[in-house]
Amino acid sequence: MGKDSLSITDNRTGKVYEIPIVDGTIRAIDLRAIKAGKDDFGLLTYDPALLNTATARSAITYLDGDAGILRYRGYPIEQLAAHSTFMETAYLLIFGQLPNKIQLEQWAFDINHHTLLHTNAQRLIESFRHSAHPMSVFIGAISALGSLYPDSRHTHDPENRLLQAKRIIGKVATVGAFTYRINQGWPLNLPDDELDYIGNYLRMMFRMNEHHYYPDPILVKALNVLFILHADHEQNCSTSTMRVIGSSQADPYSSLAGAAAALYGPLHGGANEAVLTMLEQIGATGRVPAFIDGVKRGEAKLMGFGHRVYKNFDPRGQIIKKMAHEVFAFTGASPLLDIALKLEEIALHDEYFISRKLYPNVDFYSGLIYQAMKLPTNIFTVMFAIPRSVGWVAQWMEMMEDEDLKIVRPRQIYTGEEEREYTMIEERK
Ligand code: CMC
């Protein structure tokens, strides 16, 4: 075999195996040929948190964690945040190219005309208790949408997939806004197709009884950037969930509900909520050093810090931090900003965090902006789920066209009992 290969000597048998290397990876299935004996199943890899396993070939998002690089379809995230709109970025993620003017108008029109929710879905959302966590409502409502669009089970039809993609991108904003309104006990605002995606979302969230609601351009701009930054992040926990469920050919609403459930956890998208809870618990800048000491003793985590992939800085966090000040100039700063700045300052100079390469991630500052926009803490993860739905759908569509697509079915190392005889209940101690 040529140079692009790996030679493995199995010391149990003395046999040498040549395994091809393609794109810097070996195929795990090639290791199956490595057997200690005739009845041996073959070698497996053990990687419970998928720390070093590529599960997809994807052309959507490029991420270099050491260099702090994030690109969608080749475009640096900084350029998209500066020049693009969320709708345009959504088109880019789904179709792979930036749209021309006509394509963008048609796309925005199509998405806008899928924002209305079936009254059954609306009634379902209204039936949750007002105190239900908005993410529980979001997950439940998205899953229920599958029942309203049974055609979405035709997952092998590319035209149908695109139709569902447009429905999902249009409806997640409405579902997200409704979770907020019922949480507050306020009447729902139906979508208004005269506004663009972000303006419409802000209107559904914030319109009270004014006849005309005009979203503030500063908030529209800020939300555009936040939505762009959250739109995709390659094979993270929730996106992998989308792919795993989708691999069984479940409809995309069911897969997306699963992805949203994965996002809800505090180590993933739920971190933006957890950051605010942490800042509130610390309560004053004077208490920051004691909190940091507690983190170093393993009593708590510094939420909004650290990342599986970024080991230098999170480029999304840097953009958000800069933008936060523009938003605060308009809304007034979050009361917790000083605590956050103090935490960041101490952590960035402390050996514990430096040696573990722990830096602020996207969630450290986004919550402060949402708080300044007067949003309650428990809605923050929904604000992540809405734009990330674009990435989930783009990754699902890509996967459905992948010639390597098969149902995901990992292996295990069995650690339980050997075969044993059933004992009748009377004979058990
Ligand atoms: N605070 C304190 N210590 C930490 C933190 C933290 N936030 N994150 C990691 N560590 C320590 C960890 O205890 C371990 O220390 P030691 O080597 O002494 O055992 C070391 O750093 C390595 O951490 P790890 O747990 O192996 O890292 P991971 O790659 O498995 O976890 C993470 C990544 C994001 C789950 C983790 O950093 C974390 O829990 N951060 C806080 C939650 C958070 O902000 N999540 C949002 C991530 S960005 C949004 C998204 O895309 O999901």
Side-chain angles (χ1 to χ4, degrees), residues 51 233 236 263 266-269 271 275 295 300-309 311 314 316 352-353 356 358 361-363 384 388:
L51 292 170
H233 212 232
N236 52 77
L263 187 79
L267 299 190
H268 191 8
V275 169
V295 170
K301 268 195 166 177
L302 179 47
M303 300 310 286
F305 261 65
H307 200 276
R308 171 63 60 76
V309 187
K311 296 297 173 196
D314 180 339
R316 302 167 300 173
Y352 176 95
F353 299 92
R356 288 170 179 76
L358 302 172
N361 59 47
V362 68
D363 292 315
F384 192 153
R388 182 55 60 85

Side-chain angles (χ1 to χ4, degrees), residues 151-195:
D151 61 322
S152 64
R153 295 175 67 196
H154 302 304
T155 56
H156 283 292
D157 173 3
E159 258 181 56
N160 191 281
R161 288 200 293 267
L162 183 57
L163 170 63
Q164 307 311 329
K166 289 177 187 170
R167 279 187 179 143
I168 287 173
I169 297 168
K171 290 182 202 311
V172 285
T174 314
V175 171
F178 284 8
T179 68
Y180 169 67
R181 299 291 294 195
I182 64 147
N183 192 255
Q184 299 296 301
W186 292 331
L188 305 180
N189 288 317
L190 296 184
D192 175 349
D193 66 10
E194 294 208 341
L195 292 168

Side-chain angles (χ1 to χ4, degrees), residues 33-110:
I34 303 178
K35 298 184 185 211
K38 194 162 62 56
D39 298 330
D40 188 0
F41 180 75
L43 205 62
L44 296 176
T45 55
Y46 177 60
D47 193 5
L50 302 178
L51 292 170
N52 197 39
T53 298
T55 56
R57 297 176 67 83
S58 180
I60 300 175
T61 290
Y62 174 78
L63 205 166
D64 179 337
D66 291 326
I69 293 173
L70 174 61
R71 295 182 201 135
Y72 296 160
R73 302 283 191 183
Y75 295 101
I77 195 69
E78 293 78 7
Q79 290 184 22
L80 291 169
H83 307 300
S84 185
T85 61
F86 176 61
M87 263 305 93
E88 187 186 59
T89 298
Y91 184 101
L92 172 69
L93 286 167
I94 299 282
F95 296 104
Q97 303 297 337
L98 285 170
N100 63 28
K101 256 185 141 191
I102 295 168
Q103 288 167 325
L104 180 57
E105 270 167 23
Q106 183 63 49
W107 172 245
F109 177 90
D110 289 351

Side-chain angles (χ1 to χ4, degrees), residues 225-251:
V225 173
L226 283 164
F227 275 18
I228 289 170
L229 298 181
H230 284 90
D232 194 50
H233 212 232
E234 53 118 302
Q235 309 312 316
N236 52 77
C237 179
S238 55
T239 303
S240 301
T241 307
M242 181 88 196
R243 282 182 177 260
V244 169
I245 302 178
S247 79
S248 76
Q249 289 163 26
D251 72 78

